Amino acid sequence: DAGVTQSPTHLIKTRGQQVTLRCSPKSGHDTVSWYQQALGQGPQFIFQYYEEEERQRGNFPDRFSGHQFPNYSSELNVNALWLGDSALYLCASSPDRDTEAFFGQGTRLTVV
Amino acid sequence: SQQGEEDPQALSIQEGENATMNCSYKTSINNLQWYRQNSGRGLVHLILIRSNEREKHSGRLRVTLDTSKKSSSLLITASRAADTASYFCATVLTGGFKTIFGAGTRLFVKA
């Protein structure tokens, strides 16, 4: 079992561009959550997907959008990138909301 | 604002000593979880404690939960240099799906 895999591991984008990050959940997990972690801070919840629908959303602007596919993999899209979007983006999967979450190693996004 | 707040922000101890980290939260929760993060990479789940539980153990880890005080503690006994990491508490609010993390405690264990 490969666990949660994220791609790419590192990414550099220019202000104003768009980016797509990808996540494959752990086998058997149907719930995927995305987090943004700024340096020295705790992860901030962006949104959670379940059965291809956004189930709950954190306090992030509409520039942040996502998608979940029938195989439960997920994408995070960020439009009109700001310098402040530079962070580690983490994906986590779980079999349901009341159990432990398994995290990927993250995508380090740098906006210049 | 953060739902979970860890205390202390940083902790430096000698190998073999015990490390205690505390977490306070503000509203009713389904469960509280503790995670470890090494070098700003992925988080590793340590323990989940449900709102109707008071204490859980896993190896050298002991977690307590006091819902009346809205607080939890993580105790690492006989610490090792490999325990050096950031530790986060995370809560899932009652009836919700959102997991809210605190800012973390940075633990440094000196060999």
Side-chain angles (χ1 to χ4, degrees), chain A residues 46-84:
Chain A
I46 302 175
F47 40 54
Q48 184 181 92
Y49 277 85
Y50 172 71
E51 292 189 347
E52 302 180 54
E53 296 287 331
E54 183 183 288
R55 183 155 70 174
Q56 189 160 7
R57 187 179 183 90
N59 188 26
F60 279 81
D62 292 344
R63 299 187 298 110
F64 289 77
S65 63
H67 189 77
Q68 185 177 36
F69 299 93
N71 66 353
Y72 305 128
S73 67
S74 178
E75 290 182 348
L76 164 65
N77 301 291
V78 187
N79 294 322
L81 285 165
W82 297 2
L83 297 179

Side-chain angles (χ1 to χ4, degrees), chain B:
Chain B
S1 64
Q2 299 278 17
Q3 157 78 337
E5 298 287 345
E6 287 94 341
D7 170 58
Q9 290 185 329
L11 183 60
S12 181
I13 59 174
Q14 293 290 138
E15 206 167 30
E17 294 180 336
N18 295 341
T20 299
M21 289 159 265
N22 302 296
C23 170
S24 60
Y25 58 93
K26 298 175 183 175
T27 58
S28 178
I29 60 173
N30 276 337
N31 64 63
L32 185 144
Q33 303 176 48
W34 285 90
Y35 289 85
R36 184 185 72 221
Q37 185 177 40
N38 292 83
S39 303
R41 301 306 290 180
L43 280 76
V44 174
H45 184 269
L46 298 176
I47 289 185
L48 180 151
I49 186 166
R50 304 189 190 285
S51 59
N52 61 352
E53 297 175 312
R54 292 298 167 258
E55 186 171 317
K56 285 189 84 168
H57 296 254
S58 177
R60 294 184 295 114
L61 307 180
R62 172 178 169 256
V63 167
T64 61
L65 179 64
D66 187 335
T67 53
S68 65
K69 296 181 179 178
K70 293 186 171 58
S71 67
S72 174
S73 67
L74 169 66
L75 169 68
I76 304 174
T77 60
S79 63
R80 305 166 182 167
D83 294 329
T84 294
S86 292
Y87 292 81
F88 296 92
C89 72
T91 53
V92 177
L93 304 186
T94 300
F97 304 99
K98 177 179 177 179
T99 301
I100 304 174
F101 284 81
T105 293
R106 278 83 186 152
L107 173 66
F108 181 66
V109 182
K110 294 176 281 187

